[in-house]
Amino acid sequence: MNELEVSRPTLTRYLRDLRDTYGVPWVFDRDQDGYRLESDNHELGRQFELPGLWFSAEEIHALLTMQHLLVNLDSSGLLGPHIEPLLNRLGRALGTADDSAIEVARRIRIQTVGARSFQLDHFQAVGSATLRRRRLLIEYHARGKNETVRREVSPQRLIHYRDNWYLDAWCHLRNELRSFAVDAIHRTEILDTPTRDIDDATLDHVLGSGYGIFAGAEVRWARLRFSAERSRWVAHEKWHPDQQGRHLDDGSFELRVPYSQEPELLMDILRHGAHVEVLEPPDLRNAVSQAHKEAAALNAG
């Protein structure tokens, strides 16, 4: 009080603000007749340092918005518990007058389309093995062949793509890199055997170079032409990080995207119906044409 030239009530208010607003874990030590930090069993965790992070109200609102997005995307609950202490701190920093955390939840809605359900314990095992760098024994339902196969895999990374989770892993059964849909994993067992680690460059080359989740080392390029009407949307869409696009004189839009396997690209092309033409390669053009013919025959009459 002498150093800061403040009164006892002001000091008490400062201490209260440090504890309630900024989460400073101070306690009064009667033996030492003074205040000290005590982080054991504190809701913000054992680690605490001053001066800490200080945000403007706008920054805090932005962080709360991101947290809300993350919670909605993280339906599995894998990340939620780890960011909850940060949410509590941000909520206190905003103040309690208008309860901003609840207001964000009211005003922001995230709708997921096509998200497939999965068993949480399997997801947790996959995540744990990936982070601990341990091999994983799984029973995997290959939907294309409609068969379940027992595999030993070395997890490399988890991918959240189009509202679903995928595991990039080295398959010791096939002796190659594969991508597995987590929702198709029916049984998991974490092994004590260390994983076979694959460098990021190889992972990106094999599993990240083609279009979408159906990737592979052999990459081809699709060239698509969208109508002038549909180009107003497609020109602003990101189909692939390496895509190439240009506006044509007639108002249409030409898009080139790399792909390794056609199933996912085929689905995205078909949703545009008569507003897109596949210029190349010929086999992709034929696949789209055949799909349209089969759909027309199925819905005829």
Side-chain angles (χ1 to χ4, degrees), residues 146-182:
N146 195 27
E147 62 181 20
T148 300
V149 181
R150 189 179 178 90
R151 301 169 182 260
E152 181 178 326
V153 300
S154 287
Q156 304 299 318
R157 59 190 180 189
L158 273 168
I159 308 293
H160 188 264
Y161 177 75
R162 292 192 173 186
D163 295 327
N164 291 289
W165 285 98
Y166 298 87
L167 173 67
D168 287 350
W170 178 267
C171 177
H172 294 276
L173 175 65
R174 304 302 184 193
N175 201 35
E176 63 183 4
L177 285 169
R178 291 288 182 92
S179 184
F180 300 95
V182 174

Side-chain angles (χ1 to χ4, degrees), residues 116-165:
R116 301 185 295 268
S117 61
F118 54 82
Q119 295 189 36
L120 179 59
D121 54 346
H122 294 342
F123 183 84
Q124 290 175 331
V126 170
S128 177
T130 302
L131 296 175
R132 292 169 51 196
R133 315 306 303 129
R134 290 292 181 268
R135 293 189 187 186
L136 196 64
L137 194 63
I138 64 174
E139 288 184 3
Y140 185 75
H141 179 217
R143 294 188 176 98
K145 298 181 180 179
N146 195 27
E147 62 181 20
T148 300
V149 181
R150 189 179 178 90
R151 301 169 182 260
E152 181 178 326
V153 300
S154 287
Q156 304 299 318
R157 59 190 180 189
L158 273 168
I159 308 293
H160 188 264
Y161 177 75
R162 292 192 173 186
D163 295 327
N164 291 289
W165 285 98

Side-chain angles (χ1 to χ4, degrees), residues 126-300:
V126 170
S128 177
T130 302
L131 296 175
R132 292 169 51 196
R133 315 306 303 129
R134 290 292 181 268
R135 293 189 187 186
L136 196 64
L137 194 63
I138 64 174
E139 288 184 3
Y140 185 75
H141 179 217
R143 294 188 176 98
K145 298 181 180 179
N146 195 27
E147 62 181 20
T148 300
V149 181
R150 189 179 178 90
R151 301 169 182 260
E152 181 178 326
V153 300
S154 287
Q156 304 299 318
R157 59 190 180 189
L158 273 168
I159 308 293
H160 188 264
Y161 177 75
R162 292 192 173 186
D163 295 327
N164 291 289
W165 285 98
Y166 298 87
L167 173 67
D168 287 350
W170 178 267
C171 177
H172 294 276
L173 175 65
R174 304 302 184 193
N175 201 35
E176 63 183 4
L177 285 169
R178 291 288 182 92
S179 184
F180 300 95
V182 174
D183 59 280
I185 297 177
H186 293 171
R187 181 179 177 274
T188 57
E189 179 184 346
I190 301 177
L191 306 177
D192 291 332
T193 312
T195 58
R196 172 177 176 175
D197 284 327
I198 309 298
D199 62 90
D200 290 342
T202 302
L203 287 172
D204 290 338
H205 174 68
V206 176
L207 298 177
S209 55
Y211 183 84
I213 210 66
F214 294 97
E218 184 178 346
V219 176
R220 295 184 293 170
W221 284 81
R223 188 160 65 97
L224 316 172
R225 182 169 61 203
F226 293 87
S227 67
E229 175 190 341
R230 199 56 56 92
S231 68
R232 294 194 288 270
W233 285 270
V234 177
H236 300 282
E237 294 178 354
K238 187 173 183 178
W239 289 40
H240 189 276
D242 298 329
Q243 70 183 40
Q244 302 170 7
R246 64 189 181 105
H247 291 276
L248 304 180
D249 293 338
D250 61 356
S252 61
F253 183 76
E254 182 180 291
L255 178 67
R256 296 182 71 247
V257 292
Y259 74 102
S260 299
Q261 302 180 46
E262 66 184 30
E264 189 173 2
L265 179 58
L266 184 63
M267 289 188 292
D268 283 342
I269 293 173
L270 291 174
R271 67 187 173 92
H272 288 279
H275 290 277
V276 59
E277 177 187 2
V278 179
L279 301 178
E280 58 183 31
D283 56 345
L284 180 61
R285 181 184 178 92
N286 293 335
V288 172
S289 177
Q290 183 62 30
H292 281 305
K293 290 177 182 178
E294 293 176 358
L298 182 64
N299 294 279

